Amino acid sequence: MPELGKVYCMIFAFMIFYRVRPLTEADKKKARTEWERFKKKLSKEVVIVGEYAHIWGTTYNGMIIIESRDLSAFHDFWHMFRETTRWYVPETKTYIAQREE
């Protein structure tokens, strides 16, 4: 429980589960290249904490964990993410968590 009189900063974590459609080797290479280019353009207000290639126990292929103190920065990230990956990621599911610091 927060102490009275203390100022807390919120940190949001976004767990994005994704499903990748079957890809040719050429498409896999294109997707990797676009993903690396995408990450270089990220705002400093959004951090990719982890990239996970396998999620056992689900129907998803992988998961990305993002952290941000600013919901609008995540909103901007989300739109860029979907523009970049929509051609090979037909489905996502996002969970949002909040931590006080």
Side-chain angles (χ1 to χ4, degrees), residues 58-79:
T58 75
T59 60
Y60 293 97
N61 300 97
M63 177 179 70
I64 303 165
I65 298 178
I66 309 294
E67 283 191 352
S68 180
R69 296 179 191 274
D70 181 3
L71 289 173
S72 65
F74 175 77
H75 182 265
D76 294 342
F77 163 87
W78 178 253
H79 288 289

Side-chain angles (χ1 to χ4, degrees), residues 86-97:
R86 188 173 311 280
W87 68 272
Y88 66 96
V89 176
E91 183 180 345
T92 64
K93 183 163 189 134
T94 303
Y95 293 94
I96 303 170

Side-chain angles (χ1 to χ4, degrees), residues 30-86:
K30 177 182 174 187
R32 274 189 220 104
T33 301
E34 287 181 2
W35 180 246
E36 292 304 318
R37 190 176 307 133
F38 169 79
K39 291 191 302 184
K40 289 177 183 172
K41 291 193 259 178
L42 284 180
S43 160
K44 291 182 181 180
E45 296 173 353
V46 175
V47 177
I48 296 177
V49 176
E51 298 178 55
Y52 305 88
H54 304 285
I55 304 298
W56 290 276
T58 75
T59 60
Y60 293 97
N61 300 97
M63 177 179 70
I64 303 165
I65 298 178
I66 309 294
E67 283 191 352
S68 180
R69 296 179 191 274
D70 181 3
L71 289 173
S72 65
F74 175 77
H75 182 265
D76 294 342
F77 163 87
W78 178 253
H79 288 289
M80 288 175 30
F81 169 74
R82 290 310 287 150
E83 284 178 28
T84 302
T85 63
R86 188 173 311 280

